[in-house]
Amino acid sequence: MDNWIHPAIFYFLGALLLPFIKGLAKKIFILLIPIASIVVVAMSEYGSYGAYNFLGVQGLFGRVDKLSMVFAWVFVIMAFLGALYALHREEDGHHIAGFFYVGSSLGAVFAGDYLTLFVFWEIMAFSSVFLIWYRRKQKAVDAGFRYLLYHVFGGLLLFFGMMFYYAKVGSFAFNAISPSQAAWPEYLILAGFALNAAVIPLHTWLPDAYPEATVEGAVFLCAFTTKTAVYVLARGFSGFEILAILGTAMTVYGVCYAIIENDIRRVLAYHIISQVGYMVAGVGIGTAMAVNGACAHAFAHILYKALLFMGAGSVLYMTGRSKMTELGGLYKYMPLAMIGYVVGAISISGFPLFSGFVSKSMIVAAAHHEGRIWLMLFMNLAGIGTFLSVGLKVTYFTFFGKPPANPVSAKEPPANMLWAMGLTSLLCFIIGTFPQTLYVLLPFPVEFRPYTLSHLSEMMQILAFTGLIFYLLVGKLSPEDKINLDMDYFYRQGTWLFMKFDEKIIAPLDVLWGELYRILGVRGLFGSADLSYKFDQKAIDGVVDNTAYSVVGFGSIVKKLQTGKVQVYIGLSLFMFFAILWFVL
Amino acid sequence: MNLVEVLEKLRRETGLLKKLFYLVLILLILFDLFLPRGHAHFLVDKVPAFWTFFTVIGGFLLARFSKGMAHTILGKKEDFYG
Amino acid sequence: MTLLPEIYTFLFSLVFLFLSLGKGKRPLFILARTLAVIGLVISFLSINASGLLFSGAYRVDYFSQIFKVLLNIGLTLVVFMFHKDDEVDNVPEFYMFLGFSTLGLTILVSSVELISILVSLEISSFSLYAIVPLRRAQTRDHLEASIKYLFFGAISTGIMLYGMGYLYAFAHSTYLVDIVEKTPVFLARPFGVLALLLTLTAFFFKLSLFPLHFWAPDIYEGASDATTTFIATVPKVAGAAVLIRLTMLANSPVSQLALLLIVLAAFSMTLGNLVGLVQKDLKRLLAYSGIAHAGYLMLGLLSFNEDGNAAVAYYITVYLFMNLALFYVIMLLSRGGQNLKISDLTGLARKSPLLAFTLAAAAFSLAGIPPTGGFTGKFFLFVNAFRAGHLAIVIIAAVNTVISLFYYLNLVRVSYSKEAQGPSVGLSFYEKALCYLFSIAIIILGLMPLTFMEMFRQAM
């Protein structure tokens, strides 16, 4: 390898070394690793590094170009903020899982071929599930299990997609695929990617699992999995019309659920679907401006969504509650955490001077520019829902609103959490106020100007009148202590039916099969042994008693019977074997 | 005066806040009416204060639709999946 | 000394034969471990031995020596997994039979003549028949299982002999070399395929491939953990070796034989996984998992070339380690000798994080998740079947992988779920080391397959 160090190495080595470091040194170590990776990313030069040959397959560990660097940048920054936020966590395992998760995401982003990508893809799924399992509640364990099943299923889609793709084009190289040449291998890959991007109808793992993750784990989770998926979609599948449509559908679908959910983190989780929808739609529109917008939005989104999860997490951490029906009036106890959350909320809603304003609008403007007015309208509709749910509803019912019947008296979260939130807030503000800091990183030259009068007017109308709607409908929007069914209802029902079928039909068939052998075989054995015993007695008696022919004749009949039977038994027990044989030949 | 006191003071002044809020809304509409529309290609650019109408109607429908779904087919008890 | 590993394994068994004549019971595990390690070293030392003995009936070559090493690794690890209060320890006969069985398998992988294949297979099988009923908590069902095993083992041998008879009739020789020469002629006829297939039957039985799988769940459940561990791993290695040797008789792809293997593989995978899905007993579940894996193995044989065979060898190596790892977890958890239910794993992560990790590594590997060996092995198998143009079976295998995920991951889920009930599991340094060894081996096989693959390909 030349002069490039893969930033993921720090995380993998760090994860392995972590158990051997104790005390304060450990805390410093946990922060140093992301810092080291930030330095390495800052020093990276474009190029291809770490090519290798694996059984005749050309692999590439480090494809460093503009597109991968945007994501690498935000990943390492987020890794630092996440590590800072999780610093108080004592279990090594949690930090190790986090490091593996971040490292494998970086590995996936820099991967230049499908094979490398796939391996990191799977490590991502398996390391992240521990961030859910460390919650140590039965619900979390179950949700994590479902999460894992979904992701391994998605991984298999990707795996078989890439195998067939290899058979088709003879290479594992991971490059842009033209929509006109895409056939089912490409669509299999696309489906695998889409599952990680939580594209409906493959999205149900996200709102299922993220709210059950640990407080610190959710901050990591919300950043990496979906955004890695956005990266690979941008890399391979830009310009696919289906993504533009599904992405826009996601934006609205996500906010509809965000409006009705009760658990704060589930609201945020559904809202990830909505936000990733913008990015997917941007990738689907496929123009330079739209792809730029998708990358910029991914960058900005990682930060403010993490900030929101940090805010919600600190509420959960300090009060042990995350349902809005059990919260209220927290502004008195944790104003700093509230400010953090509110900065995230106004960033995500696209307030001027905050990061959502300069990133989301880029995708909306790209749709507008391309004449995709319906897409644009739905995206703006989702924007309304965003402010309504994440911005106003959660803020109001958690931090203001009526305190619950059994009020909580919480304190501010630990200093490291507050620092992480403060730094993230600052970044949201910097990006929103000085958008050039973000725009220089984008893969294509940026001509978009966010701060124009008409755009300001558009956004301010949307925000202000959403506020009016909320004010008028606040009674109708109050949270309810219920869960809402999603498409996973069908998946769960399907699984349940399948298990019933398996249990009631297939498993007994196998038992029957074993019984068949038992009856034909073991009984046959004993039966024939019995017969031959009798034969021995009779035949020998016969000889001794000298009752010659008649008895010998009888004996030979028995003998025939006996040998015949053994053959029949064995023959029958092999019936299946020959049946297949006959069928085939 | 710390942050919590500021917030509590503001919460007592809801009447004033409400008036300010309405004023902002009116100003926003006026602002949009006088915006130059040189590059308008599509309906959304041509109609003055389009986003006001869009937000009020869209936001209302979105909120009522979502809540309606939650109250009819989607909403279930916490232990629905067991 | 080309026959050193065989002679040593024989001596190994003799030592325990003499010990069994003496009176009094004493722990034997230290002696067994020492002797097994020496055997392993010897098999490694003679890895480059070669020669043709006994008028060409017995071939010592790289292929056979590699499998001998694998067999010895298997035996050694199995012996290392027992502890001193294990029910089979201080029964010298147990070690003796393990030794004889391994001896049979060792001879088997070197045999290139039908009669010696038969004889060595029988040496191995008879020893196993003898140790299956060795169990403290024996029930009627367990006993019946061992009878079943014996009886159907004998029948499958009979069928193999029948097939061998045909082969002899075609080739007028029992030497594989001679048979290879005649294969293009007789494989063109359906009866030739039949002959080869019948000959393979006994090895299908050893690998518990459908429709000869039925013994596995009962035996796994009925035999003691120690015996099951051996039966589930070591004979399968030799079974795979001989399957490779025998399908290599076909030289070039034979469509009927391939189709047959595909059908058997498809049934085996599907049935194994579907039934595995509803199992409650851990060892029974592993039996069905083994049935499914026998199906996966067939995928490598389909390509009828060195690459495919190397993939089979690689996968069986991985299989050896991941199964041993899982069985070791089972053995450590069920010290009383009772069968473990899946629900008994509840809270394992709290009781013993290391055991939970070992279990997770093994289960992930069985499910075929990177970066474990199970993934890499499956990858090779699938790629080879794919290259040979067998798309349908690859898709069936893919679907099966999805189904199997459910129960493998469920093991991990259960072990990470809920509060621990009961005391934490204390592990000695030695037991920890073995757990680490298994986990590391599984991951190394996944990450660095090239050296091994190269080795196997040379051997083919």
Side-chain angles (χ1 to χ4, degrees), chain A residues 314-353:
Chain A
S314 44
V315 170
L316 174 62
Y317 186 69
M318 299 312 295
T319 66
R321 305 176 185 190
S322 64
K323 287 182 186 166
M324 282 183 269
T325 42
E326 299 170 357
L327 292 164
L330 283 177
Y331 76 99
K332 281 183 203 156
Y333 310 109
M334 33 201 328
L336 291 176
M338 182 192 79
I339 289 179
Y341 182 87
V342 168
V343 171
I346 61 179
S347 299
I348 205 171
S349 311
F351 269 70
L353 300 183

Coordinates of all heavy atoms in Angstrom, one line a residue, chain A residues 314-353:
Chain A
S314 N -30.7 11.6 26.0 CA -30.4 12.1 27.4 C -31.7 12.2 28.2 O -31.7 12.0 29.4 CB -29.7 13.5 27.3 OG -30.3 14.3 26.4
V315 N -32.8 12.4 27.6 CA -34.1 12.3 28.3 C -34.3 10.9 28.8 O -34.6 10.7 30.0 CB -35.3 12.8 27.4 CG1 -36.6 12.4 28.1 CG2 -35.2 14.2 27.1
L316 N -34.1 9.9 27.9 CA -34.3 8.6 28.3 C -33.3 8.2 29.4 O -33.6 7.5 30.4 CB -34.1 7.6 27.1 CG -34.1 6.1 27.3 CD1 -35.5 5.7 27.9 CD2 -33.9 5.4 26.0
Y317 N -32.1 8.6 29.2 CA -31.0 8.3 30.2 C -31.3 8.8 31.6 O -31.1 8.1 32.6 CB -29.7 8.8 29.6 CG -28.5 8.4 30.4 CD1 -28.0 7.1 30.4 CD2 -27.8 9.3 31.2 CE1 -26.9 6.7 31.1 CE2 -26.6 8.9 31.9 CZ -26.2 7.6 31.8 OH -25.1 7.2 32.5
M318 N -31.8 10.0 31.6 CA -32.0 10.7 32.9 C -33.3 10.3 33.5 O -33.5 10.3 34.8 CB -31.9 12.2 32.8 CG -30.6 12.7 32.3 SD -29.1 12.0 33.1 CE -29.4 12.6 34.8
T319 N -34.4 10.1 32.7 CA -35.7 9.8 33.3 C -36.1 8.4 33.2 O -37.0 7.9 33.9 CB -36.8 10.6 32.6 OG1 -36.9 10.2 31.2 CG2 -36.4 12.1 32.6
G320 N -35.4 7.6 32.3 CA -35.8 6.2 32.1 C -37.1 6.1 31.2 O -37.7 5.1 31.1
R321 N -37.5 7.2 30.7 CA -38.8 7.2 29.9 C -38.5 7.8 28.5 O -37.7 8.7 28.3 CB -39.8 8.0 30.5 CG -40.1 7.7 32.0 CD -41.1 8.6 32.5 NE -41.3 8.3 34.0 CZ -42.3 8.9 34.7 NH1 -43.1 9.7 34.1 NH2 -42.4 8.6 36.0
S322 N -39.2 7.3 27.6 CA -39.1 7.9 26.2 C -40.5 8.0 25.6 O -40.5 8.4 24.4 CB -38.2 7.0 25.3 OG -38.8 5.7 25.2
K323 N -41.5 7.7 26.3 CA -42.8 7.9 25.7 C -43.3 9.3 26.0 O -43.3 9.7 27.2 CB -43.8 6.9 26.2 CG -43.6 5.5 25.7 CD -44.6 4.6 26.3 CE -44.4 3.2 25.9 NZ -45.2 2.3 26.7
M324 N -43.9 10.0 25.0 CA -44.3 11.4 25.3 C -45.5 11.4 26.3 O -45.7 12.4 27.0 CB -44.7 12.0 24.0 CG -43.5 12.5 23.2 SD -43.9 13.3 21.7 CE -44.0 12.0 20.6
T325 N -46.3 10.3 26.3 CA -47.4 10.3 27.2 C -46.9 10.3 28.7 O -47.6 10.7 29.6 CB -48.3 9.1 27.0 OG1 -47.4 8.0 26.8 CG2 -49.2 9.3 25.8
E326 N -45.6 9.9 28.9 CA -45.1 9.9 30.3 C -44.2 11.0 30.5 O -43.5 11.0 31.6 CB -44.4 8.5 30.5 CG -45.3 7.3 30.3 CD -44.5 6.0 30.3 OE1 -43.2 6.1 30.4 OE2 -45.1 5.0 30.2
L327 N -44.1 12.0 29.6 CA -43.1 13.1 29.8 C -43.9 14.4 29.7 O -45.1 14.4 29.3 CB -42.1 13.0 28.7 CG -41.1 11.8 28.8 CD1 -40.3 11.6 27.6 CD2 -40.1 12.0 30.0
G328 N -43.2 15.4 30.0 CA -43.7 16.8 29.9 C -43.1 17.7 30.9 O -42.6 17.3 31.9
G329 N -43.0 19.0 30.5 CA -42.5 20.0 31.4 C -41.0 19.8 31.7 O -40.6 20.3 32.8
L330 N -40.2 19.2 30.9 CA -38.8 18.9 31.3 C -37.9 20.1 31.1 O -36.8 20.1 31.5 CB -38.3 17.8 30.4 CG -38.7 16.4 30.8 CD1 -38.1 15.4 29.8 CD2 -38.2 16.0 32.2
Y331 N -38.5 21.2 30.5 CA -37.6 22.4 30.3 C -37.1 22.9 31.6 O -36.0 23.5 31.6 CB -38.3 23.4 29.5 CG -39.4 24.2 30.3 CD1 -39.0 25.5 30.8 CD2 -40.6 23.7 30.5 CE1 -40.0 26.2 31.6 CE2 -41.5 24.4 31.3 CZ -41.2 25.7 31.8 OH -42.1 26.4 32.5
K332 N -37.8 22.7 32.6 CA -37.3 23.2 33.9 C -36.1 22.4 34.4 O -35.3 23.0 35.1 CB -38.4 23.0 35.0 CG -39.5 24.0 34.9 CD -40.5 23.7 36.0 CE -41.8 24.3 35.7 NZ -42.9 23.7 36.4
Y333 N -36.0 21.1 34.0 CA -35.0 20.3 34.7 C -33.7 20.2 33.7 O -32.6 20.0 34.2 CB -35.5 18.9 35.0 CG -36.8 19.0 35.8 CD1 -38.0 18.7 35.2 CD2 -36.8 19.5 37.1 CE1 -39.2 18.8 35.9 CE2 -38.0 19.6 37.8 CZ -39.2 19.2 37.2 OH -40.3 19.3 37.9
M334 N -34.0 20.1 32.5 CA -32.9 19.9 31.6 C -32.9 20.9 30.4 O -33.0 20.4 29.2 CB -32.8 18.4 31.1 CG -34.1 17.7 30.9 SD -34.0 15.9 31.0 CE -32.4 15.5 30.3
P335 N -32.7 22.1 30.7 CA -32.8 23.1 29.6 C -31.7 23.0 28.6 O -31.9 23.2 27.4 CB -32.7 24.5 30.3 CG -32.1 24.2 31.6 CD -32.5 22.8 32.0
L336 N -30.5 22.6 29.0 CA -29.4 22.4 28.0 C -29.7 21.3 27.0 O -29.5 21.4 25.8 CB -28.1 22.2 28.7 CG -27.6 23.4 29.5 CD1 -26.3 23.1 30.3 CD2 -27.3 24.6 28.6
A337 N -30.1 20.2 27.6 CA -30.5 19.1 26.7 C -31.6 19.5 25.7 O -31.6 19.1 24.6 CB -30.9 17.9 27.5
M338 N -32.5 20.3 26.3 CA -33.6 20.8 25.4 C -33.1 21.6 24.3 O -33.5 21.5 23.1 CB -34.6 21.6 26.2 CG -35.8 22.1 25.4 SD -36.8 23.3 26.2 CE -35.8 24.7 26.0
I339 N -32.1 22.5 24.6 CA -31.6 23.4 23.6 C -30.9 22.5 22.5 O -31.1 22.7 21.3 CB -30.5 24.4 24.1 CG1 -31.3 25.4 25.0 CG2 -29.7 25.0 23.0 CD1 -30.4 26.4 25.6
G340 N -30.2 21.5 22.9 CA -29.6 20.6 21.9 C -30.6 20.0 21.0 O -30.5 20.0 19.8
Y341 N -31.7 19.5 21.7 CA -32.7 18.9 20.9 C -33.3 19.9 19.9 O -33.6 19.6 18.7 CB -33.8 18.3 21.8 CG -34.9 17.6 21.0 CD1 -34.7 16.2 20.6 CD2 -36.0 18.3 20.5 CE1 -35.7 15.6 19.8 CE2 -36.9 17.6 19.7 CZ -36.8 16.3 19.4 OH -37.7 15.7 18.6
V342 N -33.6 21.1 20.4 CA -34.3 22.1 19.6 C -33.4 22.5 18.4 O -33.9 22.7 17.3 CB -34.7 23.3 20.4 CG1 -35.1 24.5 19.6 CG2 -35.8 22.9 21.4
V343 N -32.1 22.6 18.6 CA -31.2 22.9 17.5 C -31.3 21.9 16.5 O -31.4 22.1 15.3 CB -29.7 23.1 18.0 CG1 -28.8 23.2 16.8 CG2 -29.6 24.3 18.9
G344 N -31.3 20.6 16.9 CA -31.5 19.5 16.0 C -32.8 19.6 15.2 O -32.9 19.5 14.0
A345 N -33.9 20.0 16.0 CA -35.2 20.0 15.4 C -35.3 21.1 14.4 O -35.9 21.0 13.3 CB -36.2 20.2 16.5
I346 N -34.7 22.3 14.7 CA -34.9 23.4 13.7 C -33.9 23.2 12.5 O -34.2 23.6 11.4 CB -34.7 24.8 14.3 CG1 -33.3 25.0 14.9 CG2 -35.8 25.1 15.3 CD1 -33.1 26.3 15.5
S347 N -32.8 22.4 12.7 CA -32.0 22.1 11.6 C -32.7 21.2 10.7 O -32.7 21.3 9.5 CB -30.7 21.4 12.1 OG -30.0 22.2 12.9
I348 N -33.3 20.1 11.2 CA -34.0 19.2 10.4 C -35.2 19.8 9.7 O -35.5 19.4 8.5 CB -34.4 17.9 11.2 CG1 -34.5 16.7 10.4 CG2 -35.7 18.2 12.0 CD1 -34.7 15.4 11.2
S349 N -35.8 20.8 10.3 CA -37.0 21.4 9.7 C -36.6 22.4 8.6 O -37.4 22.8 7.8 CB -37.8 22.1 10.7 OG -38.0 21.3 11.8
G350 N -35.3 22.7 8.6 CA -34.8 23.6 7.5 C -35.0 25.1 7.8 O -35.2 25.9 7.0
F351 N -34.8 25.4 9.1 CA -34.7 26.9 9.4 C -33.5 27.5 8.8 O -32.4 26.9 8.8 CB -34.6 27.1 10.9 CG -36.0 27.2 11.6 CD1 -36.8 26.1 11.7 CD2 -36.4 28.4 12.1 CE1 -38.0 26.2 12.3 CE2 -37.7 28.5 12.7 CZ -38.5 27.4 12.8
P352 N -33.6 28.7 8.3 CA -32.4 29.4 7.8 C -31.4 29.5 8.9 O -31.7 29.6 10.1 CB -33.0 30.8 7.4 CG -34.4 30.6 7.2 CD -34.8 29.5 8.1
L353 N -30.2 29.5 8.5 CA -29.0 29.5 9.3 C -28.6 28.1 9.9 O -27.6 28.0 10.6 CB -29.1 30.5 10.5 CG -29.3 32.0 10.1 CD1 -29.3 32.8 11.4 CD2 -28.2 32.4 9.2

